[in-house]
Amino acid sequence: MRTGLKIAGVLLVGGALGLASAGNRLSDNRALENGPWRIWPARVIPAASPYTLAHHLRHGRLPADASQSVIFTAANDSDGDALRASCDYLISGPMPPVRWWSLGVESGSAPLTSGRVVLGPDGTFQARMSRFAMPGNWLRSPDRGRFRVTFALFGPGGSLKDRPEKTELPQIRKDGDCQ
Amino acid sequence: MMNRLFWIFCAALIAAAIHFAYVLFVPGMEMNRIMESFAAKNGRNDLTLLGPEEARALLSSNLPEMVTAACAFDAVDEPITIDAIIPDSYWMISVYGANGALLFTLDDRQAGVDRMRFVLKPPGQAAEQPEADTITVETPDGSGLVLLQARAEEPAYGPRLRQAMAVSSCGPRQAPGEP
């Protein structure tokens, strides 16, 4: 009886530890970092690591290869604070050399895309992210709660394909006080 | 003391086994779920245009500019042919295996032509002599999912791209339009 309880306990504890460690290992916290952006190793051809495959597919999403597209996500701003609908943000900085890009709020409104934004005289990009309409390039954030931003770059060139964590990307900073 | 160490060792062993089983088996199980669900709705060996929500569920980002078509293929009995019409805009084909691994990808610039044929088959299966502008992709299990994506730079291009996608085909036939 006592041995049976011990076996059950070991199975329970071992199983819980195994699932928790797998969940932690596959979370965005283990992705490569580039400022506020996170990316999993983006080279999946000729072979992706089992962790990279599991990271994408456990949410039912197919992995992409960096030879075609590089997809960053951000759940925090450049200061490390969670992105919140109650704050306005300024997204600004240089754009890497790509054929086209798309910057959008996950499960949100229409994204900003290259070709449909106004760039500065020096080619830098600047957009405001807010739930309220803003002049210039405006990315609408959700009405409430925390959210994530996806930055998808297609036809990447240069070091972006192989070292996406080292490429200079736009930063996300709070624009004024949060409400 | 030794008795306690033994049970701790057993729990650690089970945790490691669960961890690796989760990481190794989840991609294949999830890919199987995606393919079965897609095939139940759209059939096998048939190219289907996806709606924005379906495309968003499969991919890692919200890309309303992208026209996406998919085909759950089964090449176990005979090779499957993808006849792709490549538009004058950003276009990409991605072939996924049954375990979720990305086996092959190509974009419009790499293709360099406006029409291309892809033959999908398991290793060792006989296939016709490849013709010009034909690429043979070996799929380890003989089944998987093909995604075709094209970018409509302007919303007005969307219908034209959808037409081009609709002319593309996926199935055990030799050329588009043949019975």
Side-chain angles (χ1 to χ4, degrees):
Chain A
M1 177 68 182
R2 206 171 157 196
T3 306
L5 280 175
K6 280 183 179 172
I7 291 172
V10 160
L11 286 172
L12 203 67
V13 171
L17 281 176
L19 286 176
S21 66
N24 177 265
R25 182 66 181 78
L26 299 174
S27 75
D28 276 343
N29 298 333
R30 304 301 289 263
L32 301 173
E33 293 183 20
N34 183 335
W37 305 104
R38 301 280 179 277
I39 186 168
W40 270 74
R43 278 289 194 185
V44 298
I45 290 179
S49 86
Y51 286 104
T52 299
L53 273 187
H55 167 76
H56 290 288
L57 280 159
R58 76 182 182 134
H59 297 302
R61 290 178 170 174
L62 300 169
D65 187 70
S67 62
Q68 305 296 356
S69 60
V70 176
I71 298 171
F72 294 93
T73 58
N76 299 322
D77 62 21
S78 296
D79 297 321
D81 300 326
L83 296 174
R84 292 173 189 278
S86 55
C87 302
D88 292 344
Y89 297 93
L90 186 65
I91 305 175
S92 63
M95 280 294 176
V98 293
R99 282 181 70 184
W100 69 283
W101 53 260
S102 171
L103 176 69
V105 172
E106 260 185 22
S107 310
S109 54
L112 291 173
T113 53
S114 54
R116 288 200 204 165
V117 294
V118 180
L119 298 177
D122 56 353
T124 55
F125 166 76
Q126 182 169 299
R128 286 194 159 72
M129 183 163 63
S130 169
R131 60 196 156 139
F132 304 113
M134 292 281 174
N137 300 318
W138 171 47
L139 183 60
R140 182 175 181 168
S141 55
D143 291 333
R144 62 180 68 88
R146 294 182 177 186
F147 63 94
R148 286 157 54 105
V149 177
T150 301
F151 187 24
L153 302 118
F154 293 86
S159 64
L160 183 58
K161 280 191 266 194
D162 299 309
R163 305 291 302 273
E165 73 279 16
K166 299 288 183 196
T167 304
E168 205 174 353
L169 297 174
Q171 296 298 305
I172 307 174
R173 300 199 184 280
K174 287 188 198 72
D175 188 18
D177 295 328
C178 298
Q179 296 163 4
Chain B
M1 182 65 184
M2 285 302 288
N3 193 30
R4 183 172 292 181
L5 277 177
F6 170 77
W7 290 111
I8 290 172
F9 175 76
C10 288
L13 208 61
I14 288 165
I18 296 284
H19 176 106
F20 289 115
Y22 184 88
V23 169
L24 292 175
F25 293 126
V26 156
M29 286 164 56
E30 194 57 35
M31 189 65 191
N32 189 51
R33 185 194 63 76
I34 291 170
M35 290 195 306
E36 289 302 322
S37 148
F38 186 87
K41 192 174 171 190
N42 305 300
R44 261 182 221 286
N45 300 334
D46 195 14
L47 195 68
T48 306
L49 284 169
L50 303 185
E53 287 305 318
E54 284 178 299
R56 186 192 293 194
L58 272 182
L59 304 164
S60 303
S61 43
N62 170 27
L63 297 166
E65 289 187 11
M66 283 285 213
V67 175
T68 305
C71 170
F73 67 88
D74 182 350
V76 171
D77 295 328
E78 56 184 326
I80 296 299
T81 302
I82 311 285
D83 276 301
I85 307 299
I86 302 174
D88 294 334
S89 60
Y90 183 84
W91 172 93
M92 177 167 63
I93 182 172
S94 307
V95 180
Y96 292 89
N99 67 347
L102 180 54
L103 303 172
F104 174 83
T105 182
L106 190 83
D107 70 20
D108 57 307
R109 286 189 180 169
Q110 292 163 330
V113 291
D114 58 7
R115 175 176 285 229
M116 197 140 194
R117 176 172 290 181
F118 302 89
V119 177
L120 313 176
K121 67 178 199 65
Q125 188 182 66
E128 288 190 357
Q129 199 67 21
E131 305 160 9
D133 297 334
T134 299
I135 292 177
T136 300
V137 181
E138 290 202 337
T139 65
D141 299 311
S143 61
L145 192 76
V146 173
L147 279 188
L148 296 179
Q149 294 173 277
R151 181 195 179 205
E153 291 176 28
E154 296 295 334
Y157 297 162
R160 200 178 73 187
L161 273 181
R162 294 183 78 82
Q163 275 182 342
M165 287 285 200
V167 174
S168 298
S169 65
C170 167
R173 52 183 180 262
Q174 299 306 307
E178 280 187 10

